[in-house]
Each structure stands twice: as structure tokens, then as C-alpha cells.
Amino acid sequence: MPTQLEILDLSDNDLPISSSFCEVLSRMTVLRELNMSYCHLDDDEVALLTPCLANCHALTSLHMNGLRLASEVEVSTLVRGLTQLQLLHLGKCELKDHHVAELVRSLYHHRHLTSLNLSGNILAEESSQVLAEWSHLHCLEAVGLNKPNTYG
């Protein structure tokens, strides 16, 4: 994969995230947009992405909708250092209330964020309180907070 890419769309595939893939991704210093929505990533693969995305200093758009993350995954660790993000979409990741709250807490220094999608995750008392106290919420241009679809 060429390391000079600015946009990388890997959405809706079964591509395994390996250490060699992460090595290449970490050298994509001009990458502005990464879409990994509906990829079949497990918790270990998401953990592998964390240090390599930290090297992607130009990354302003991260789409990771539909990852079906386990409750023990701290997604906040993945995005904590990506303070240049303008768009963060983590809809339908099956995040529990506590993990959504931790994610929002990790966004306190994301001053450029204009679009946040947390739709389809569990937003309850803890996450609602953290969102209400988050001073940057009023600066966002687009917010997705729809509840999960419970239809059978």
C-alpha cells in the first residue's frame, strides 16, 4: 500500500489487521481520512491500530461504524491522541454506557471536532451526564445519538 495516501477506505471487508499492516499504516503521515466501518475487527486488531494511528498526524476523519466492539475494549484509548479529528463516527459499535462516557471524556481536548456519531450504542445515565457536562458539545455541527434499533 502506498504510504502517501490521503484517503483510505477499507470499509465492509474481512481484511485482517496485522502488525505488518499497522507498520505501513503508521507511515501514512498524510492520511486525512480513514474508513474502517463494518470491518470484521476483533478487540486485538483494534488494539493494534491504536499506536499506528497515533502517527497519522494529518488524520481528520475517522469512520469506524459497526465494529461490534466487546465491552472491555477501551475505544477512548484509540482516539485519545487524535486531537486533530474533525469527524469521528463510531455508530453501531455496541458500546455500553460506561464506554460511551469514557469515549466522550477522552474527547475533551479534541477542539477541531465538528461531527460526532455515537448512534446505535447504549447511551444511558453515565454517558448522558458526561455529554451534558462536555463544554465542546455546543461547538459540534453534527451529532448522532440515536438509540439502538430494538426491533426483532
Side-chain angles (χ1 to χ4, degrees), residues 24-111:
V24 172
L25 186 59
S26 70
R27 291 192 309 254
M28 293 184 174
T29 56
V30 295
L31 187 65
R32 292 181 296 109
E33 182 177 330
L34 177 61
N35 188 344
M36 298 187 83
S37 295
Y38 300 99
C39 287
H40 300 278
L41 303 180
D42 64 26
D43 299 345
D44 294 332
E45 290 172 318
V46 172
L48 274 175
L49 287 171
T50 302
C52 66
L53 285 180
N55 288 336
C56 298
H57 302 291
L59 192 63
T60 59
S61 178
L62 181 60
H63 297 260
M64 297 184 97
N65 297 306
L67 289 190
R68 308 267 188 243
L69 300 171
S71 61
E72 64 269 4
V73 172
E74 290 294 334
V75 180
S76 58
T77 304
L78 181 71
V79 299
R80 187 176 317 279
L82 301 175
T83 57
Q84 69 282 5
L85 284 179
Q86 296 172 12
L87 183 145
L88 177 60
H89 287 195
L90 290 164
K92 298 181 182 178
C93 287
E94 297 184 3
L95 297 173
K96 306 288 187 236
D97 182 46
H98 170 73
H99 293 97
V100 172
E102 284 300 312
L103 174 64
V104 173
R105 285 185 192 105
S106 75
L107 297 175
Y108 275 37
H109 300 289
H110 288 66
R111 303 286 182 228

